[in-house]
Amino acid sequence: MVGRSLMTGISAGLTAGALAFELSRKSQRGKKKLKARAGKALRSVGSFVDELSDMLR
């Protein structure tokens, strides 16, 4: 009886831990992608503004 409930508790804890680890890892990857995309967008806007200012001269 005690052994079975102990094994159930351990397996539930491992499952919850693995799920939490995967979610935290996924959010870190998402943050890196977001930063990379934001950087590309800023460079693109900067390039556009430079070209526009050259056209207006």
Side-chain angles (χ1 to χ4, degrees):
M1 285 279 216
V2 173
R4 188 174 200 153
S5 64
L6 181 64
M7 291 302 289
T8 303
I10 289 173
S11 66
L14 286 173
T15 304
L19 182 64
F21 175 74
E22 195 61 35
L23 288 175
S24 69
R25 214 177 138 137
K26 191 174 188 178
S27 68
Q28 288 175 354
R29 280 190 225 134
K31 287 179 186 177
K32 287 181 182 178
K33 284 183 181 180
L34 180 64
K35 286 181 182 179
R37 288 179 183 164
K40 287 180 183 178
L42 284 174
R43 278 183 247 126
S44 177
V45 169
S47 174
F48 175 73
V49 170
D50 286 341
E51 290 178 18
L52 187 63
S53 66
D54 287 343
M55 290 172 65
L56 293 175
R57 285 185 192 172

